[in-house]
Amino acid sequence: MQRMKSRMNGNRWAVAIVAVAALLMVKPIFAQDVSETRLADGIFMLEGQGGNMMLVATESHTVLVDAQFARMAEAIGAKVEALGSLPLSYLINTHFHGDHVGGNAYMSETLGATILAHANVLKRLADDTDFPREGLPTETLTDRHALDLGEYSLTLKHYPTAHTDGDIVIWVDGQNIVHVGDLYFVDRFPFVDLNSGGTVQGYIDAINSVLADADEHTQIIPGHGPLATATDYIRLRDMMIETREQLRAWHAAGADVDTMVATGLDEKWAEWTWNFINEERWIRTLFNDLQASH
């Protein structure tokens, strides 16, 4: 049975992008530690405060995917040096949100990284007058890109209109490891940034594309949450499809969005709510996406 709920109205959407990841954090703000999980020889998932990172270290190159917040930069740099080598060859940004690019300037100026991102990431960061110019990407891609690191090679692929308009995923070729950035929030309602080119269908399409290249042994680094598998990723896709179908049914029956929020989703999705994208905001995201597509 669906449940009736009372909701408090308020500033539902007036949340700055840089605050997104602050709400995502489960660690206290003063804990400046960076932990690693070894995925293969020289390949690690790194966790701290912000979006999950990936480090790929070979004899000739060290590549970091994403850079969390600026306040984490020195701790991240120390972890890079401990696990790989400096100077840092590349920093790859999966998209432009602050919890993934805050350390860009430090990685470039102090650690020597060339910053690589989708062209839309450069445009959005360049348009942000508060973002340090030293942290702007200096190399961009528009569709696919390959990086030869010696022992490993990386394949970068752009997914338009997904979480944002600048999302890329990074595969470690031959290792069955992929970093999908904020195209994955593990067992949580995802943040689809409708104001920055994101769409629900584009997000679902991106998941399906990644899954088409994955198998039961694929190690998936999500933007937020623990290391995952293809089976885990399917849960997110299926939730998005099922809850969107519920919204479409309500809409066809003539319900307005406030009625949808008051009615609420099926009880089985209760544990997917969290402090940034709670059930109400997920319903409103689905509704606004539906309105934009008509």
Side-chain angles (χ1 to χ4, degrees), residues 127-252:
D127 288 345
D128 180 358
T129 57
D130 293 328
F131 191 79
R133 303 299 92 176
E134 300 81 6
L136 293 175
T138 52
E139 292 188 14
T140 60
L141 65 142
T142 56
D143 183 25
R144 298 178 73 99
H145 188 78
L147 280 179
D148 184 357
L149 309 180
E151 295 98 306
Y152 297 122
S153 61
L154 306 180
T155 296
L156 287 61
K157 184 176 180 181
H158 174 231
Y159 289 96
T161 65
H163 170 61
T164 67
D165 59 8
D167 299 284
I168 59 174
V169 304
I170 301 93
W171 284 91
V172 184
D173 299 334
Q175 295 300 307
N176 213 1
I177 296 168
V178 61
H179 191 308
V180 298
D182 278 5
L183 292 173
Y184 194 8
F185 294 72
V186 178
D187 292 341
R188 302 175 182 177
F189 294 129
F191 175 36
V192 182
D193 192 346
L194 302 179
N195 295 321
S196 301
T199 67
V200 172
Q201 186 59 54
Y203 202 117
I204 293 169
D205 289 344
I207 295 173
N208 283 331
S209 179
V210 172
L211 287 171
D213 294 326
D215 60 33
E216 66 271 24
H217 303 297
T218 304
Q219 297 184 86
I220 302 175
I221 300 175
H224 300 275
L227 186 68
T229 67
T231 299
D232 300 324
Y233 208 15
I234 288 170
R235 285 199 303 273
L236 173 62
R237 181 201 63 190
D238 290 353
M239 181 281 298
M240 294 181 72
I241 292 172
E242 185 171 333
T243 56
R244 183 177 62 174
E245 286 307 305
Q246 177 65 77
L247 262 288
R248 287 174 172 173
W250 282 335
H251 187 263

Side-chain angles (χ1 to χ4, degrees), residues 93 95-97 101 104 115 117-138 140:
N93 292 149
H95 62 290
F96 79 97
H97 287 154
V101 302
N104 273 23
I115 302 176
H118 188 267
N120 289 339
V121 172
L122 172 59
K123 182 180 186 304
R124 290 188 180 278
L125 293 179
D127 288 345
D128 180 358
T129 57
D130 293 328
F131 191 79
R133 303 299 92 176
E134 300 81 6
L136 293 175
T138 52
T140 60

Side-chain angles (χ1 to χ4, degrees), residues 268-286:
K268 68 182 177 180
W269 306 121
E271 293 185 359
W272 288 67
T273 198
W274 54 292
N275 53 3
F276 184 58
I277 308 297
N278 58 19
E279 183 183 276
E280 175 178 354
R281 188 165 184 186
W282 179 237
I283 290 172
R284 293 185 184 278
T285 295
L286 291 169

